[in-house]
Amino acid sequence: ETGVTQTPRHLVMGMTNKKSLKCEQHLGHNAMYWYKQSAKKPLELMFVYSLEERVENNSVPSRFSPECPNSSHLFLHLHTLQPEDSALYLCASSQAEEANYGYTFGSGTRLTVV
Amino acid sequence: RKEVEQDPGPFNVPEGATVAFNCTYSNSASQSFFWYRQDCRKEPKLLMSVYSSGNEDGRFTAQLNRASQYISLLIRDSKLSDSATYLCVVNSGSNDYKLSFGAGTTVTVRA
């Protein structure tokens, strides 16, 4: 596989469920990101991991819990979500020392909370 | 003030037309600039980087004006397949790998 792979592509969950989103990158990058994109809104940065350390947490509610076990994998654990958390969740990766190359995004997980 | 601001559009243009739009950024220390393209319900994809001297990639031309802190994208000879949302992207500071995304400019090319 190449690029950035996200699973699942679609997820419907109840407010009391626990689920996890998975992201895997095959680009040899050392930085990974979680973004949230709600309808007709800009991308909102949620978490940044650089060299497997969380370097940014943008005031995200604790019902979202990231995990980065190694430089190729990133998870977003979800529990007791609210309907307003329904959105497209995008994972991205980059090479932290190479600011000029931008990010590569996965195709996203479209989450619906019912 | 938002870090990156864009005219949301939409810009509705006929095939073959030229369309251009700008974005402004607030951080004067930013060094890396990009245009991304996002199709409906898909992920953003890098369209092109923007260099100080301006650069072209086929029908797409990007310009950077550091003094006024804006970036532009021009699309010549528009195709139906150019219909998308174009995201202006700027890094958060000198050599900072974290990027800030604009809300996007929607372009619709009609037959």
Side-chain angles (χ1 to χ4, degrees):
Chain A
E1 293 218 40
T2 59
V4 181
T5 305
Q6 285 187 246
T7 54
R9 292 294 300 272
H10 300 273
L11 177 62
V12 179
M13 59 186 288
M15 288 190 283
T16 58
N17 292 157
K18 289 184 181 180
K19 296 286 184 185
S20 296
L21 310 184
K22 179 183 175 182
C23 176
E24 185 174 359
Q25 60 95 2
H26 306 271
L27 300 167
H29 288 164
N30 58 12
M32 297 186 78
Y33 312 83
W34 278 117
Y35 279 87
K36 174 184 178 182
Q37 189 174 35
S38 304
K40 299 193 185 300
K41 288 189 177 179
L43 287 160
E44 299 173 46
L45 179 64
M46 300 176 73
F47 301 104
V48 179
Y49 277 83
S50 176
L51 300 171
E52 301 159 40
E53 282 194 43
R54 191 190 311 179
V55 297
E56 189 152 333
N57 174 346
N58 268 7
S59 303
V60 180
S62 59
R63 56 186 184 268
F64 295 90
S65 174
E67 179 190 0
C68 187
N70 55 61
S71 59
S72 299
H73 293 86
L74 186 65
F75 295 89
L76 188 62
H77 304 299
L78 316 172
H79 67 97
T80 59
L81 294 193
Q82 304 298 311
E84 61 265 28
D85 297 323
S86 299
L88 179 67
Y89 288 84
L90 290 160
C91 172
S93 71
S94 74
Q95 194 63 19
E97 309 84 49
E98 301 290 343
N100 292 327
Y101 292 98
Y103 295 175
T104 301
F105 283 89
S107 49
T109 295
R110 190 158 294 281
L111 173 67
T112 303
V113 181
V114 297
Chain B
R1 183 183 172 189
K2 293 179 185 175
E3 289 191 59
V4 181
E5 297 209 50
Q6 295 184 248
D7 180 347
F11 288 76
N12 294 306
V13 299
E15 268 188 297
T18 295
V19 59
F21 41 89
N22 296 338
C23 91
T24 57
Y25 61 95
S26 61
N27 190 340
S28 60
S30 295
Q31 295 291 328
S32 301
F33 309 91
F34 311 89
W35 284 104
Y36 276 69
R37 171 195 170 124
Q38 187 171 24
D39 292 296
C40 187
R41 303 178 73 82
K42 297 283 183 70
E43 75 275 22
K45 292 185 177 177
L46 180 64
L47 177 67
M48 60 196 299
S49 299
V50 185
Y51 302 119
S52 297
S53 54
N55 49 298
E56 278 189 24
D57 184 358
R59 297 179 293 105
F60 297 83
T61 300
Q63 296 280 353
L64 168 64
N65 184 317
R66 286 189 186 274
S68 302
Q69 292 182 208
Y70 77 83
I71 307 153
S72 64
L73 182 66
L74 181 145
I75 307 173
R76 284 187 302 277
D77 188 23
S78 300
K79 312 292 185 191
L80 295 176
S81 57
D82 294 334
S83 298
T85 296
Y86 292 86
L87 306 177
C88 176
V89 184
V90 176
N91 80 321
S92 300
S94 179
N95 293 322
D96 193 332
Y97 58 88
K98 294 194 294 291
L99 302 179
S100 296
F101 287 76
T105 297
T106 299
V107 173
T108 302
V109 181
R110 61 183 188 273

